[in-house]
Amino acid sequence: MTESNKSRRRGDQLQNDIYAATYRLLETEGYSAINFARIAREANTSRSVVYRYWDTPFDLVFAAVQQRMQQSEEKFKILDFDEGSLRDHLVYVGQHFILESNHGPFKLFKMLFSEMINQQERERTGQMLAEATASNIKIMDNVLQRALQRGEITIFPPKATKLILFEQIRYTFMLENGWVSHQKLEEIVDHVALPAILYFSKP
């Protein structure tokens, strides 16, 4: 990239290029590869530009992962739901969540936790997990609203129940070293998530 091209990048485009370089290094080399000099080189910009936006490498990683989380939520909003049952929708959401866990920002949470140095970083990573939980709730509310309209349920379950599908997938993801089979997903839906949701709509 020429110097003139570098100078023309501004605002969102420049930040997106820096985020992309950061995420690429995280996935290929890990957190230890993240420093402002390396990021500036990978993003074809200068260290002074990177310092202008973020105070520390952790701040940059935090922002990059947050951006990917937001993108993941936007992807879900445009998913094409069929007109199947609550079970069908739970499996569908589970499949999408597994895909995001394998290729999206969620797989980097463990890395961030292992690299936290001080209380502020622990608090900020906790904030990120809280945002992920809020996103999960929005997704499940969408599914449950459809089930309510079809008469499959009569009431929304509590927050803990809404999160069961995602928490079970995360647990299996960690337990099975990043792999959740379709059979295992169906077991989670049929024996845990769906019965828990339906319990609160018993006559």
Side-chain angles (χ1 to χ4, degrees):
M1 180 177 291
T2 67
E3 289 299 321
S4 60
N5 284 335
K6 286 184 187 180
S7 65
R8 280 199 295 267
R9 287 185 301 164
R10 292 289 186 272
D12 291 345
Q13 181 58 54
L14 178 56
Q15 286 196 29
N16 287 338
D17 290 345
I18 294 171
Y19 287 149
T22 302
Y23 212 80
R24 185 167 59 250
L25 282 176
L26 283 171
E27 290 184 309
T28 57
E29 299 184 34
Y31 186 87
S32 61
I34 304 299
N35 61 72
F36 285 168
R38 180 75 184 278
I39 292 298
R41 186 167 64 251
E42 295 286 334
N44 291 303
T45 189
S46 65
R47 276 186 292 177
S48 63
V49 169
V50 182
Y51 277 111
R52 188 185 308 155
Y53 289 106
W54 301 279
D55 293 329
T56 68
F58 184 89
D59 292 333
L60 172 54
V61 170
F62 183 88
V65 175
Q66 271 194 317
Q67 186 210 41
R68 285 297 179 96
M69 286 176 56
Q70 292 166 357
Q71 290 175 344
S72 177
E73 186 174 334
E74 289 302 315
K75 285 180 184 177
F76 181 84
K77 290 178 180 178
I78 62 174
L79 289 179
D80 184 22
F81 274 107
D82 60 18
E83 294 299 321
S85 64
L86 173 59
R87 180 191 183 276
D88 294 333
H89 286 169
L90 291 174
V91 171
Y92 185 68
V93 167
Q95 288 173 329
H96 177 70
F97 187 68
I98 290 169
L99 180 63
E100 288 299 307
S101 296
N102 281 325
H103 303 289
F106 305 104
K107 70 177 183 178
L108 297 176
F109 281 157
K110 186 176 181 181
M111 181 190 302
L112 286 177
F113 274 118
S114 69
E115 298 295 342
M116 288 184 300
I117 298 171
N118 55 46
Q119 181 63 32
Q120 182 182 11
E121 291 179 357
R122 287 196 293 271
E123 290 174 355
R124 293 186 67 192
T125 306
Q127 173 194 337
M128 187 185 298
L129 289 174
E131 291 172 1
T133 296
S135 177
N136 294 161
I137 291 290
K138 288 180 184 178
I139 291 170
M140 190 54 65
D141 281 346
N142 188 318
V143 170
L144 294 173
Q145 183 61 42
R146 294 166 186 264
L148 189 66
Q149 291 169 349
R150 290 192 303 270
E152 292 183 274
I153 62 173
T154 57
I155 191 173
F156 274 30
K159 176 181 176 180
T161 303
K162 293 178 183 179
L163 292 171
I164 283 178
L165 175 65
F166 306 103
E167 291 175 347
Q168 286 291 310
I169 290 173
R170 285 195 188 101
Y171 175 77
T172 305
F173 184 81
M174 290 186 292
L175 196 65
E176 300 296 334
N177 196 28
W179 171 250
V180 183
S181 68
H182 186 76
Q183 178 182 350
K184 183 63 179 179
L185 170 61
E186 289 190 325
E187 290 175 359
I188 291 171
V189 169
D190 291 336
H191 303 307
V192 183
L194 184 58
I197 291 169
L198 293 178
Y199 172 82
F200 293 93
S201 290
K202 285 183 177 180

